[in-house]
Amino acid sequence: MTALIIDDEAPARLIVRQYLADFPQLTVLADCADGLTALAAIREHRPEVVFLDIQMPGLTGFEVLAQLTEVPRVIFSTAYQQYALDAFAAGAVDYLLKPYDRARFRQAVGRVLSQPAAPDAALERLLQRLDEASAPAAYPSRLFVPQGGRLVAVPVADIQFVEAAGDYATLHTAGGQFFSSLGLGQLEQRLDPQRFLRIHRSVLVALDAVCDLERDGSGGYHATLAGGRVVRVSRGYADAVRPLLG
């Protein structure tokens, strides 16, 4: 696994390097001393895990994560207990409260190495919360989803419809499909109801993507979306769609 060490204190970066000698399977790609450099390094190197200080000049660790579209696994470190506890509760892989010893470090790294290749769903929730907090509106502009062992940001404006997939959901865009670890009901609560409408017990559609509505003869409709995809509006949800007909 590849890693970045991000901390504004040189002694702290040195300690991480020394302790990582116990983990030859982790290769350190670079050290960073501030948030702006860290952001550029993560984008350039795309590490699998980062050791990330929270309080840094330029950007905090949280602000670094909020600006990424692909997010690696994270071990936070901080000298301030309240930040550490907030990070852990929000869903970081683990956190290190300074000063920490070699045993605590080994515990945190061991947890990272024991995780499956897919990103921790808790980290996905953390990134979503960060994005919502930074957005000027009450609803997020992006949804973070797992893809190829990383987390990627899907712009909400690109979503044409959301389809239930068991307890999870699939986001359909013009550019492809993305699996979300959130269920349809959870996504319905997160997305702006002025832009997204439930048209079926298993489908949520973006109103801006609807190009045409045609009655299906049984009290429902067929909705044609941009790009030609057709989704069904079931009879039970037809009343919500009728105002769109003018």
Side-chain angles (χ1 to χ4, degrees):
M1 298 180 70
T2 55
L4 287 181
I5 301 171
I6 302 168
D7 199 300
D8 64 334
E9 298 177 346
R13 298 195 300 272
L14 179 60
I15 286 174
V16 173
R17 278 193 173 272
Q18 290 175 342
Y19 287 176
L20 280 176
D22 296 336
F23 296 93
Q25 63 270 58
L26 276 170
T27 301
V28 178
L29 301 176
D31 293 357
C32 304
D34 63 80
L36 292 173
T37 303
L39 181 62
I42 293 173
R43 288 172 171 168
E44 177 185 355
H45 296 293
R46 302 180 66 188
E48 294 172 88
V49 61
V50 295
F51 296 87
L52 182 61
D53 190 17
I54 295 178
Q55 292 295 98
M56 295 185 295
L59 296 171
T60 68
F62 288 145
E63 290 169 338
V64 168
L65 293 183
Q67 294 192 39
L68 295 173
T69 56
E70 296 186 359
V71 181
R73 282 173 268 192
V74 178
I75 297 178
F76 282 120
S77 63
T78 181
Y80 302 96
Q81 187 170 9
Q82 67 270 25
Y83 288 115
L85 294 177
D86 288 347
F88 186 69
V93 170
D94 207 340
Y95 73 91
L96 295 167
L97 183 60
K98 300 174 183 177
Y100 51 85
D101 58 20
R102 202 178 198 107
R104 180 66 186 90
F105 184 87
R106 288 180 59 87
Q107 182 184 37
V109 177
R111 185 178 179 192
V112 169
L113 297 180
S114 67
Q115 293 293 326
D120 193 335
L123 183 57
E124 181 181 346
R125 291 193 295 272
L126 167 62
L127 265 292
Q128 196 62 57
R129 285 171 57 177
L130 290 173
D131 195 60
E132 290 168 0
S134 64
Y139 299 99
S141 60
R142 303 180 297 174
L143 294 177
F144 288 88
V145 298
Q147 187 180 71
R150 310 177 72 86
L151 289 174
V152 299
V154 178
V156 170
D158 292 350
I159 299 173
Q160 294 186 336
F161 70 101
V162 182
E163 187 176 22
D167 293 331
Y168 306 103
T170 302
L171 311 179
H172 294 264
T173 73
Q177 301 177 5
F178 300 89
F179 178 78
S180 172
S181 62
L182 299 178
L184 189 68
Q186 292 172 293
L187 290 170
E188 184 175 17
Q189 292 177 2
R190 289 175 180 266
L191 296 172
D192 187 350
Q194 299 299 315
R195 298 175 60 190
F196 288 86
L197 182 69
R198 181 76 76 102
I199 62 170
H200 190 278
R201 64 183 180 85
S202 61
V203 175
L204 190 66
V205 72
L207 295 177
D208 289 346
V210 177
C211 298
D212 179 74
L213 285 168
E214 181 181 357
R215 299 182 190 276
D216 66 2
S218 61
Y221 299 91
H222 292 297
T224 302
L225 308 182
R229 180 70 181 264
V230 177
V231 293
R232 184 171 181 271
V233 181
S234 66
R235 182 170 59 184
Y237 292 90
D239 287 344
V241 173
R242 287 193 183 99
L244 301 177
L245 301 177

